[in-house]
Amino acid sequence: MIRKVLIANRGEIAVRIIRSCREMGIGTVAVFSDADRKSLHVRYADEAIHIGPSPSAESYLVKEKIVEAAKRTGADAIHPGYGFLSENADFADLVRSEDIIFIGPQADSIRLMGDKISARTIMTQAGVPVVPGTTGKITGEKEALKVLNSIGLPVMIKASAGGGGKGMRLVYNQKDFLKALNSARSESMAAFGDDAIYIEKYIQSPHHIEFQVLADSHGNVIHLFERECSIQRRHQKIIEETPSPIMTPELRREMGEKAIAAARSVNYEGAGTIEFLVDDNLNYYFLEMNTRLQVEHPITERVTGVDLVKEQIRIAAGKELGYRQEELFQDGHALECRIYAEDPDNNFMPSPGLIRKITEPMGFGVRTDGYVYEGYEIPVYYDPMISKLITWGKTRDEAITRMLRSLEEYYIMGIRTSIDFLKRIMEIPDFVKGKYDTHFIETHEKVLFAPYDDMPLTEDLSMIVAYLEYLEKAKIKTNGVPSQPVSNWKIQNRNQHLVRW
Ligand code: MV4
């Protein structure tokens, strides 16, 4: 039995976890830093504990402070969310050593998958195809060159302790190889305190497709189908969808089985994700396993009907999975857009600050997972993601048109956001046709970053009102017709608003 869960996280995911806990009748404890006193997760939790200064290194990342907060509040379990301590095996060990339930896999599973070289070895043994490349760790330059000759150019050099693109080097020419090898090594040492690296054949234009798995402590393992996450920039996902436009029923069955085999090979428990690269000929290769709940989990929830957080909690409490593989199916299509407080017209610079006005999309087939509200000030200290907009449709086309109308409804004033940029993606014919790979943003950058043909009004509707008031106060005659500057403005770059007075 779990009666009280401490959520070792902040932002939208903390809110998301609290919601499932409340529906299960489980008490909740929020932890918060100085900057998060007014965060929604603090308001929604039954109890909240201050854990230190704003920088995460002094609050959300301090294992001992989190465990201490759980002990003080009598929480019997800790949910780590994603990011922060969610894939920290030592944290899982520390939590369990205090007789607190860690809602997640065993520490050994986290360790094995956190080390990408050991993950490749284990997957190979389990019959899961990995990208052609090195087995074990590369020691000397001589060995590396020998490996290079057997794989053939181009190759990717990756850090064993890395993941998500950190410490990666792409090498096209033999003459660049040793330099890249050594810089990858030193970068990995500086970032992770570990200079172990491995080499893979470079897959030119892959799709990033991942499978959601759930495993209980009784040996039951199921998969909840795939998510396609190929639309990314600088290794940050922007749009995810399920089903994948390139998936076939046969491939889905086969990759699903491999995902289950992958989870079994590390005695996995809880919710996890097996990431694959899929090439143009539908060859698939294991890339990494994520041993946590992922940002994009809601699209899987939408098409399968499974509340993944509730399942995580049930599994951690020792219960058997609430679903069998045979009863799961994909109902329709789901899309997720990540909404960031950043400025696409200024190299995606973070744009934290005060939310002056916000209207979020609603209606049939729409879900927003967020944590901001009118009057909330987004802190500078954390990830700039504001919310996730998820739409469902009976078909992919319906999910896309519903996403577009939802993005049109989304109105945020006070900060810059990625909303207009996402609208542009939704209207690119290749995206609508499902024709995209991991190079989509670069391929379409001309269109995506083209200047607006109208002045976009991303600031305040009240500017117009102020201007009209000014005209009135200054007794400027307009004959009831909006004067030039006002009438040319468009709201949200889409809906022409005619203002009369
Ligand atoms: C690759 C690859 C091509 N070949 N590995 C990027 C993130 C990290 N998880 C692995 N990544 C890649 N690994 C081989 N052998 C291409 C990428 C990659 C990528 C993968 C998924 C989504 C977007 C990407 C963007 C650039 C590179």
Side-chain angles (χ1 to χ4, degrees), residues 425-441:
I425 295 178
M426 289 297 135
E427 292 188 298
I428 289 189
D430 276 354
F431 177 75
V432 176
K433 284 184 238 160
K435 280 174 58 178
Y436 64 83
D437 58 36
T438 47
H439 302 300
F440 181 85
I441 303 289

Side-chain angles (χ1 to χ4, degrees), residues 131 156 158 165 200-203 208 232 235 277 288 438:
V131 185
M156 274 199 127
K158 297 184 179 182
E200 285 180 351
K201 173 118 197 103
Y202 179 57
I203 311 294
H208 175 124
Q232 313 196 354
H235 305 302
L277 289 181
E288 301 175 6
T438 47

Side-chain angles (χ1 to χ4, degrees), residues 292-305:
R292 58 164 195 278
L293 183 70
Q294 289 196 255
V295 176
E296 59 272 26
H297 76 276
I299 58 173
T300 297
E301 297 188 318
R302 193 60 187 80
V303 301
T304 62

Side-chain angles (χ1 to χ4, degrees), residues 15-67:
V15 172
R16 162 74 191 87
I17 294 161
I18 291 168
R19 285 180 171 140
S20 283
C21 289
R22 290 200 73 79
E23 290 174 18
M24 295 172 89
I26 294 172
T28 50
V29 182
V31 291
F32 64 97
S33 67
D34 283 348
D36 274 340
R37 282 181 193 283
K38 294 181 179 171
S39 244
L40 204 59
H41 77 286
V42 173
R43 290 200 200 168
Y44 281 4
D46 299 316
E47 298 168 69
I49 291 215
H50 179 247
I51 50 161
S54 304
S56 22
E58 297 168 54
S59 49
Y60 298 106
L61 287 171
V62 185
K63 304 179 193 75
E64 296 76 15
K65 285 189 180 181
I66 306 281
V67 170

Side-chain angles (χ1 to χ4, degrees), residues 115-133:
D115 180 320
K116 310 301 168 194
I117 291 175
S118 85
R120 278 172 65 81
T121 308
I122 292 165
M123 292 309 150
T124 307
Q125 285 163 0
V128 181
V130 300
V131 185

Side-chain angles (χ1 to χ4, degrees), residues 6-257:
L6 180 140
I7 298 98
N9 216 300
R10 64 175 303 281
E12 69 86 19
I13 195 61
V15 172
R16 162 74 191 87
I17 294 161
I18 291 168
R19 285 180 171 140
S20 283
C21 289
R22 290 200 73 79
E23 290 174 18
M24 295 172 89
I26 294 172
T28 50
V29 182
V31 291
F32 64 97
S33 67
D34 283 348
D36 274 340
R37 282 181 193 283
K38 294 181 179 171
S39 244
L40 204 59
H41 77 286
V42 173
R43 290 200 200 168
Y44 281 4
D46 299 316
E47 298 168 69
I49 291 215
H50 179 247
I51 50 161
S54 304
S56 22
E58 297 168 54
S59 49
Y60 298 106
L61 287 171
V62 185
K63 304 179 193 75
E64 296 76 15
K65 285 189 180 181
I66 306 281
V67 170
E68 182 56 33
K71 283 161 73 175
R72 261 179 59 196
T73 53
D76 34 42
I78 294 180
H79 194 309
Y82 55 68
F84 295 132
L85 296 169
S86 61
E87 293 180 290
N88 188 310
D90 294 339
F91 178 61
D93 274 338
L94 178 67
V95 169
R96 290 183 175 127
S97 75
E98 295 286 351
D99 277 329
I100 299 168
I101 294 171
F102 177 76
I103 302 176
Q106 293 303 319
D108 285 343
S109 312
I110 302 177
R111 273 190 199 100
L112 288 171
M113 292 298 110
D115 180 320
K116 310 301 168 194
I117 291 175
S118 85
R120 278 172 65 81
T121 308
I122 292 165
M123 292 309 150
T124 307
Q125 285 163 0
V128 181
V130 300
V131 185
T134 50
T135 42
K137 98 181 194 192
I138 294 288
T139 40
E141 294 190 349
K142 242 208 191 115
E143 189 195 347
L145 281 166
K146 227 167 86 187
V147 162
L148 180 66
N149 285 325
S150 70
I151 307 174
L153 287 159
V155 294
M156 274 199 127
I157 303 169
K158 297 184 179 182
S160 187
K166 269 173 272 169
M168 273 182 8
R169 295 285 186 286
L170 171 56
V171 181
Y172 276 104
N173 299 305
Q174 176 121 20
K175 66 171 174 48
D176 305 325
F177 178 68
L178 288 180
K179 206 171 139 206
L181 186 79
N182 291 316
S183 78
R185 237 190 238 297
S186 50
E187 186 178 313
S188 176
M189 192 48 144
F192 314 110
D194 175 4
D195 70 353
I197 53 112
Y198 62 106
I199 304 169
E200 285 180 351
K201 173 118 197 103
Y202 179 57
I203 311 294
Q204 298 274 357
S205 298
H207 288 253
H208 175 124
I209 297 181
E210 57 188 30
F211 273 71
Q212 176 71 54
V213 296
L214 281 176
D216 66 21
S217 56
H218 306 275
N220 303 302
V221 187
I222 58 174
H223 74 83
L224 293 92
F225 314 106
E226 80 279 10
R227 295 183 288 257
E228 162 112 36
C229 311
S230 296
I231 303 204
Q232 313 196 354
R233 54 169 292 286
R234 294 191 212 136
H235 305 302
Q236 193 182 52
K237 293 171 188 166
I238 305 178
I239 296 169
E240 302 99 353
E241 68 175 303
T242 184
S244 160
I246 66 159
M247 190 57 70
T248 65
E250 299 73 42
L251 185 62
R252 178 175 294 120
R253 202 170 313 119
E254 192 179 320
M255 290 179 74
E257 276 168 22

